[in-house]
Amino acid sequence: VLECLHYLHTPSQQNTNSQSISNGNGNGSTAASASTSASAGGNLGKKIVIHRDLKCDNIFMSTSGKGIKIGDLGLATTDGKSVMGTPEFMAPEMYESGYSTTVDIYAFGLCLLEMVTGKTPYIECTTVIQIYKNVLAGILPENTRVLEHGWPEAYRFLLRCLLPTNLYIAHQANLRSGS
């Protein structure tokens, strides 16, 4: 999965929408890539793809269990300027214009949280507005406690996935307070 995320956020040398990459076992995984023509002269400019809707429902394992595919690229973008995605997996910066691929790393951390706990992040919230408020306030989903107390290594990994977003929240809070 990490290899797919790295590939997803690495500019492609190909001009295709789907690339096969090896997971080390000879099995291919699919990840998005995009490139566009940078000039009429045919020079290729490389664009990084932001999936924007990474969640467990969009991660597929091969029947052998040795490969994965990241699917549903319908919301993928290269500019990070619009608010789209599944609220439970959306990073705070997605609610404003100008986000980057860190939103996919944030979502990946929440996917791992769901895989380990069996519960969707922010399941305690009953409305999208509650999720939005919790995310912008930097409040982690309740099921992170399972990791914090029962699997500290996984909890630290989750925090590393969320760290760029948490730094963003702290920065925004400082801007609002005038610090």
Side-chain angles (χ1 to χ4, degrees):
V1 172
L2 289 174
E3 183 181 354
C4 281
L5 283 173
H6 172 73
Y7 188 81
L8 183 68
H9 295 153
T10 303
S12 171
Q13 299 293 333
Q14 304 294 320
N15 190 15
T16 63
N17 288 327
S18 179
Q19 295 295 317
S20 179
I21 59 174
S22 171
N23 65 5
N25 296 323
N27 296 322
S29 298
T30 300
S33 66
S35 61
T36 58
S37 181
S39 71
N43 294 330
L44 290 180
K46 296 169 191 88
K47 297 266 185 176
I48 294 176
V49 174
I50 305 169
H51 189 283
R52 292 198 302 187
D53 200 23
L54 190 61
K55 57 186 175 182
C56 290
D57 291 347
N58 292 336
I59 299 174
F60 306 98
M61 289 190 72
S62 68
T63 54
S64 68
K66 294 182 180 178
I68 65 158
K69 293 184 180 193
I70 297 175
D72 192 2
L73 299 169
L75 297 181
T77 186
T78 57
D79 64 18
K81 292 183 179 177
S82 57
V83 179
M84 299 185 113
T86 302
E88 292 84 354
F89 296 89
M90 287 173 62
E93 58 267 38
M94 288 185 74
Y95 293 102
E96 297 180 19
S97 182
Y99 51 86
S100 71
T101 57
T102 59
V103 301
D104 288 341
I105 302 301
Y106 178 95
F108 175 70
L110 293 178
C111 288
L112 290 178
L113 178 65
E114 182 176 356
M115 289 179 208
V116 171
T117 65
K119 295 184 180 181
T120 303
Y122 297 105
I123 196 167
E124 67 275 10
C125 297
T126 56
T127 67
V128 172
I129 298 299
Q130 285 178 321
I131 295 169
Y132 169 79
K133 287 179 178 179
N134 282 1
V135 169
L136 289 182
I139 299 170
L140 296 175
E142 283 184 7
N143 51 345
T144 58
R145 292 185 199 147
V146 172
L147 296 182
E148 184 178 12
H149 300 296
W151 194 2
E153 297 86 6
Y155 181 71
R156 283 192 298 275
F157 183 80
L158 172 67
L159 292 181
R160 288 194 66 186
C161 291
L162 304 181
L163 181 61
T165 299
N166 290 342
L167 290 174
Y168 172 84
I169 291 169
H171 175 69
Q172 291 299 313
N174 287 337
L175 288 176
R176 284 189 207 102
S177 68
S179 303

